[in-house]
Amino acid sequence: GDLTPRSKLRAAFEGAKTAQAVFFYPDSEADVAALFETRLKQDGVTITPDALDTLSAAIGTRRDLALQEAEKFGLYGIGLNRPIELDDLDALGVGESASDVAAMVDAVFLGQPKRFDRLTGRFLEAGGAPISLLRALAMEARRILMAHSLSKEGLPETAIGDRLKPRIYPNQWPAFRQRMMRAPGGMAAVLQNRFYEAEAACKQTGMRADLIAIEAGLSAAERLQGRG
């Protein structure tokens, strides 16, 4: 665990003539996203903020995965003559299954039913769990609802982002603000309840869970389409 300055073990090493204390600090999602973007720029390739936010959510704090994806996208971007966009992430199959969930959540809350339908088909064919998708959608609706509540209290975006889980970093606010505009507080609450009900239906009814998840996500994406 963390060794504070008052730690006897740390003090022993720092004070010894024949030992050395080396400090390690954990990466944040913002750190790893910055690493990915820097590696892309070394190849002369750029990426849109929305695509970077989605990729960051998929990669999390895994530097190894960020470097793997940066190499892949660096090759993909050669001669592209435009920034890498969200559709490019879908085409290349970013990261692991978590990236698919992040992309589907993004499609729903940006009001993109066709994109959601395409991504969901690939996710389910690969063995993705419908309930995992519904929980991710419910979590995002809850996060948007919380952001609206904190905004009404007069908090600035930086303070709101710090209190949300997962946290919203400054570079992620433009994309998250779009979600908030499409789904005001009342709408976010309705969607959250809808996803909870869909999860319950997966467990309590005889209907196929994949069909329930697809219907819930599609109806939400269609409801948010053109809003904001």
Side-chain angles (χ1 to χ4, degrees), residues 128-155:
I131 288 181
S132 296
L133 170 58
L134 290 170
R135 287 179 178 172
L137 291 170
M139 182 179 69
E140 185 63 7
R142 184 170 64 250
R143 185 166 68 158
I144 291 172
L145 183 59
M146 176 63 74
H148 280 299
S149 177
L150 294 172
S151 179
K152 288 181 179 179
E153 295 178 11
L155 294 179

Side-chain angles (χ1 to χ4, degrees), residues 69-122:
E69 296 299 337
E71 182 178 355
K72 180 169 65 177
F73 276 87
L75 292 172
Y76 176 83
I78 295 175
L80 194 61
N81 298 321
R82 62 169 174 79
I84 290 173
E85 301 172 345
L86 280 172
D87 286 343
D88 298 311
L89 269 62
D90 298 341
L92 287 173
V94 177
E96 302 167 322
S97 61
S99 65
D100 293 326
V101 174
M104 287 184 288
V105 170
D106 188 63
V108 166
F109 286 95
L110 289 181
Q112 301 170 339
K114 291 184 178 179
R115 179 177 171 227
F116 174 79
D117 189 46
R118 182 177 73 253
L119 291 171
T120 306
R122 186 177 72 187

